[in-house]
Amino acid sequence: MRREGSPFTGTGAVFAKEYADHLGSARMRVIEALVVIVGVVVVWVAMRDLKDKVTQDQFIFLRLFTYAPESNPVNFAGLLTFLIPLVAIGLGFDAINGEFNRRTMSRVLSQPIYRDALLIGKFLAGLATLATGLIALWLLVMGGGLIVLGVPPSGEEVARGLAFLVIATAYGGVWLAIAMLCSIIFRSAATSALTALGIWLFFSFLWPVIAPAIFDGILPLIAPQRVLAGSATADDVAGLLDVQQLIMRFSPTVVFQEAWLGVFSPDQFTEQQIMRIRLDPRLGHRVIPGSPLSFGQSLLMVWPQFTFMVAGAIVIFTLGYVSFQRQEVRA
Amino acid sequence: MRRALVLLVSLLSITIFPALAADPPAQPRVTGLWLITEYPSTVAKPGETTTVKLKLQNAGLAPEALALSVANVPQGWKVDILGGGQVVGAAMPAINESVTLNLRLELPANTAPGTYPVTVNAKGATNNAELKLAITVGGDVAAKLSMKTRLPALRGTPKSSFEYTFTVSNDSGKDLVVRFAADGPRGFQPTFTEAFGSNEINQIPIEAGQTKDIKVRVGLPRDVAAGDYTVKVRATAENVTAETPVTLQIVGTPTLRVSGRDGRLSGAAEAGTASPVIMIVSNEGSAVAEDIELTGTMPSGWTVEFEPKLIDKLPPGEKKEVTAQIKPTAKALAGDYIATLRAAAKAGDSASADFRVAVTTSTLWGIVGIGVIAVALLVLVGAVARFGRR
Amino acid sequence: MSDDLVIEAKGLTRRYGRGPTLAVDHIDLAIKKGEIFGLLGPNGAGKTTTILMVLGLTESTEGTVSVLGHDPLREPLQVKRRVGYLPDSVGFYDNLSARENLIFTARLAGIDKAEAGKRIEESMARVRLTDVLDNRVATYSRGMRQRLGLAEILMKRAEIAILDEPTSGLDPHATFEFLEMIRGLKADGVAVLVSSHALEQVQSVCDRVALFNKGKIALQGTVEELGEQVLGLRHDLLVEADGQDIAARLGKIEGVSAVEPPGSGRGLLVRADRDVTAEVVAAATRDGGRLRQIRAIEPSLQAIYNRYFEGVKDAA
């Protein structure tokens, strides 16, 4: 049955209201204060150590995001890997059930809009809020870097930083979609928040432990005979490592980590690559040391991770969308 | 042992020395006083000073003071007799001894050519001696140089070193300062050194009657063509010149050079896919390079194929573009690698260049990624179509 | 459909799940322009579901609805633009002021900004909330929220106002005020659809009512019609009089079936089949009796409802 009008009528109004609400809400203030304080501390520690290396390092500004001193083994990007999901869950866990619980849902839906607009407007507003926070934080880091390091970032560093922003927003989108899905499925905000946090804990902390176990479990099924016989070639091992990594990549956290490493470390191999080279030294043979990848190559390298996150966010959002559309309006 | 040697030496001394003492040199028994010179006829130049070596010989006469004088001195000449470096008026040779004297003749610049007789007298109380000298003014025999080389023709490639050794003789009666120079085709660079020295020289003093060995090295211009070239090596002193031609027989060689197009020694290749890298082989030598083989040193697992595989002939001064299809291993990690491309002529020269090959990740995954997003969006659009507008 | 019908439903049915029970079972409704129509019945009788189907917020399983000439399923935006809805225990964004809440609604409804500002002032004045227009809704009482909901409908200039349980949880004074405002809507020519389980409260404002029971409309019409239909033509009187054996005297009047104490208050309830006012006055004032009060009793919806369903039960 074809209904009149655009399903997106009113999206703008919902977006504007939700965005203003997010930015003004006490909850967001607390989350942002937390992120800024922790971020500033981490970056400050990094800057203190990096100050002496300004002249030696082509990508000194990118190190602000990735540098971790030994005393404090957390870098800024790694920190965001954990904090972005928290912020996204904070923004999304009561998006829909909150409307029901406040008994505003049927009143809003009795206005001349479709509920598509409500869901999409809320998702976009959450995403925009995340992006706003990330941009603010990014500018804070870059500005601090300018003051402390005393050199301007190169054009490529800025471009890489912006690419990171986009990737981080996509990552936030995945978690926002998960949180909103929970808010659609569960009528209780507490249940929704706990479920979303549970998913976050699972993928951030448990999955890196579980994935190798799963891999070990399926190893006899997928490994060639000669590997089981104990005579694996380097190619075999590399192939199996790829499979293990593939299992790991079911976690958005792992994917995001790969992505920011690729964007921020053009002159370094990723852990995966180092392992591959160790297995098969031919791969690293005659690579000119210290020659960084071009920006385009770095982007191409992290493109699968980025698309995975975007597509994942869209699919999870679609799940929530379908489930929301099938719900009854009456509370 | 040592004592035995001493004993032997002393025995020898006893037997030999008395024999030497007992046998005086046999000399003609002539007595008299002579004023002699080795060259009674000599050449002088106007405006210059000429010295004639004299000897006053006393044979078997009692020594006495002999006054020295010069007669028949032409107008304007200044004549001195020198002994022991000073002007002297008399000499007194001992019995059977001689006194060496020098007659210094200072000729005015306007002295007319011709032969002038000059008489030197030594007058004593009992004996006299007289010497007639003929001084010839003018003539061209004052300075004389000659040079010769044992190997006047050398054969070599443009990269060889052409070195010729000369013997330069001062055949004149006086010391000369000899300057060297060489005339050759344009671009030929001569350098002179002593035969067994390394200092570069352009002039060297040679005493009268002496010889010196001089080495000349001829540097060649880069683009010298094959052929025979003559370089005239010249030695000059005062107004005399000695000249010897030397021949450089230059045999042509090919000189290969490998470069990238527009000087770019870089290329990009996708992992697992062959990508062309243009290399330019040029012959900067002087002969045709034949059967140039093209090879490459690649990171392992990589392959390279050349198009053409072989260059049959490459004349000097010409270049040829070769496409190297470089295929990195499918597992190559993105990054910059070094690939050495080499061109080697069958006989002779070879050249190589390091190309920086940037391995790029396949854009296929980029397209796949876009496809994945497109599918996800399609699912969303489908959901909107199916469940939308409620 | 005739021109003055704003809502017309025919055979409207809604089934939840696969069970045999229907939340709404083939109901027919016809609501005229400018009337107040009551959907009455206990909780769970299908009133809210009916309202949602009218608004297009729930799809009907069977049957058709036409709202102002539009099908709410095909043209929900048209319908929702012209219909105002005050849901059961309406909620607002507590962190926003009443004005901000209304501005948001206005934006959703596509009312331009300047016009919305003007309309918000107007409608808030009508519901007498001007003083607290910029207070956060969190500070509002239940009654104020209901009035704010009404203001939203006014602001939209809705042609139909659908009010779901508007008086539940309100104190009597607030209820009275609110009902007055509903009458105000009617005065503007707005058709009002009120649902309530509190039959007595809305009886006074409704022009016509539909009594819901288990998804069906049991009865439909004016209260008088229903009373006649269910209770028969009744001429009950409440009589308060001083005198000897008043009850006995009244009971002897022809046509009086019973004289009994009323459910509450003083006096006697005289049930009669015909108009016995004159006889009652005569009987009460006889022998020095003093008639203090005599008043005809309108048929109570509650009584109608109770009687009707007792009858249904008896018949079953």
Side-chain angles (χ1 to χ4, degrees), chain A residues 1-6 9-10 12-14 16-18 21 99 102-104 106-115 118 122 328-330, chain C residues 14 16 48-49 52 57-59 73-78 80-81 85 87-93 95-96 101 104-105 107-109 152 156:
Chain A
M1 179 169 46
R2 177 79 195 168
R3 294 188 178 88
E4 52 143 357
S6 156
T9 317
V14 175
K17 184 241 165 206
E18 289 291 324
D21 273 9
E99 296 283 338
R102 273 179 304 212
R103 312 195 67 89
T104 46
S106 49
R107 186 176 60 84
V108 168
L109 290 186
S110 74
Q111 306 310 323
I113 60 163
Y114 289 111
R115 51 175 110 169
L118 189 70
K122 273 174 178 282
E328 281 297 323
V329 170
R330 60 192 310 174
Chain C
R14 170 72 204 195
Y16 284 116
T48 302
T49 306
L52 292 178
L57 291 178
T58 293
E59 284 181 36
L73 284 186
R74 289 184 184 278
E75 299 165 295
L77 299 189
Q78 283 291 342
K80 291 197 271 191
R81 203 164 286 135
Y85 175 49
D88 186 7
S89 50
V90 65
F92 289 88
Y93 299 108
N95 54 324
L96 302 181
N101 265 291
F104 176 51
T105 309
R107 282 202 63 185
L108 291 179
E152 187 181 273
K156 262 175 91 175

Side-chain angles (χ1 to χ4, degrees), chain C residues 21-27 41-47 211-218 305 309 312-313:
Chain C
T21 43
L22 299 171
V24 175
D25 190 357
H26 296 89
I27 62 164
N43 292 331
K47 303 184 303 278
L211 287 183
F212 271 72
N213 187 49
K214 292 178 182 156
K216 292 194 170 98
I217 292 179
Y305 194 84
F309 289 110
V312 172
K313 224 179 283 169

Side-chain angles (χ1 to χ4, degrees), chain B residues 318-358:
Chain B
E318 293 202 0
K319 51 182 70 173
K320 187 152 176 77
E321 223 175 70
V322 176
T323 307
Q325 293 285 352
I326 293 181
K327 183 179 172 188
T329 159
K331 286 182 195 150
L333 307 172
D336 287 357
Y337 292 75
I338 291 283
T340 307
L341 301 181
R342 183 174 291 104
K346 192 179 180 187
D349 204 49
S350 72
S352 68
D354 283 350
F355 281 73
R356 197 185 178 100
V357 179

Side-chain angles (χ1 to χ4, degrees), chain A residues 225-259:
Chain A
Q225 203 57 46
R226 60 176 176 280
V227 174
L228 300 177
S231 57
T233 66
D235 279 354
D236 291 337
V237 179
L240 289 174
L241 270 178
D242 284 350
V243 173
Q244 186 179 10
Q245 192 64 21
L246 201 67
I247 298 171
M248 289 287 278
R249 285 182 185 142
F250 277 96
S251 161
T253 310
V254 171
V255 173
F256 179 60
Q257 270 165 343
E258 287 186 354

Side-chain angles (χ1 to χ4, degrees), chain C residues 4-274:
Chain C
D4 59 346
L5 285 185
V6 290
I7 300 175
E8 190 176 34
K10 282 185 182 141
L12 199 58
T13 303
R14 170 72 204 195
R15 181 196 300 274
Y16 284 116
R18 302 197 165 273
T21 43
L22 299 171
V24 175
D25 190 357
H26 296 89
I27 62 164
D28 299 319
L29 276 178
I31 294 154
K32 295 186 205 106
K33 197 172 175 203
E35 80 173 335
I36 302 178
F37 191 92
L39 298 180
L40 308 178
N43 292 331
K47 303 184 303 278
T48 302
T49 306
T50 306
I51 288 170
L52 292 178
M53 284 192 288
V54 167
L55 280 166
L57 291 178
T58 293
E59 284 181 36
S60 55
T61 313
E62 256 180 67
T64 59
V65 201
S66 168
V67 180
L68 299 164
H70 299 289
D71 179 352
L73 284 186
R74 289 184 184 278
E75 299 165 295
L77 299 189
Q78 283 291 342
V79 169
K80 291 197 271 191
R81 203 164 286 135
R82 297 167 68 181
V83 176
Y85 175 49
L86 178 65
D88 186 7
S89 50
V90 65
F92 289 88
Y93 299 108
D94 284 351
N95 54 324
L96 302 181
S97 70
R99 190 197 295 274
E100 287 164 338
N101 265 291
L102 291 185
I103 287 172
F104 176 51
T105 309
R107 282 202 63 185
L108 291 179
I111 301 166
D112 83 70
K113 212 171 170 182
E115 175 72 13
K118 208 173 69 189
R119 289 196 197 177
I120 288 167
E121 299 278 355
E122 272 172 29
S123 55
M124 288 297 272
R126 273 192 67 179
V127 298
R128 296 200 286 281
L129 287 175
T130 309
D131 296 346
V132 289
L133 182 50
D134 290 306
N135 290 14
R136 284 175 359 121
V137 176
T139 64
Y140 276 36
S141 70
R142 181 92 183 79
M144 289 160 85
R145 280 163 201 251
Q146 292 295 118
R147 272 145 63 192
L148 180 55
L150 207 60
E152 187 181 273
I153 294 172
L154 289 169
M155 181 195 72
K156 262 175 91 175
R157 305 257 160 99
E159 294 163 53
I160 301 172
I162 299 180
L163 316 174
D164 195 358
E165 303 283 1
T167 56
S168 75
L170 296 190
D171 62 59
H173 177 69
T175 305
F176 174 76
E177 272 190 339
F178 196 83
L179 293 177
E180 280 306 304
M181 287 173 188
I182 293 176
R183 286 195 187 96
L185 280 177
K186 177 185 165 144
D188 292 347
V190 176
V192 183
L193 188 63
V194 187
S195 97
S196 182
H197 66 274
L199 306 180
E200 305 294 347
Q201 282 181 353
V202 292
Q203 182 183 356
S204 56
V205 294
C206 288
D207 295 322
R208 290 195 304 138
V209 297
L211 287 183
F212 271 72
N213 187 49
K214 292 178 182 156
K216 292 194 170 98
I217 292 179
L219 294 166
Q220 194 171 167
T222 62
V223 177
E224 286 76 17
E225 284 167 8
L226 296 192
E228 219 173 288
Q229 199 179 331
V230 175
L231 305 174
L233 204 56
R234 302 298 305 222
H235 299 277
D236 293 358
L237 296 172
L238 182 74
V239 179
E240 199 181 325
D242 299 333
Q244 298 262 308
D245 296 327
I246 292 289
R249 263 187 267 168
L250 295 179
K252 287 178 189 144
I253 297 166
E254 196 192 336
V256 173
S257 56
V259 178
E260 52 197 40
S264 62
R266 293 180 292 176
L268 293 165
L269 184 63
V270 179
R271 296 189 183 282
D273 300 333
R274 62 182 184 89

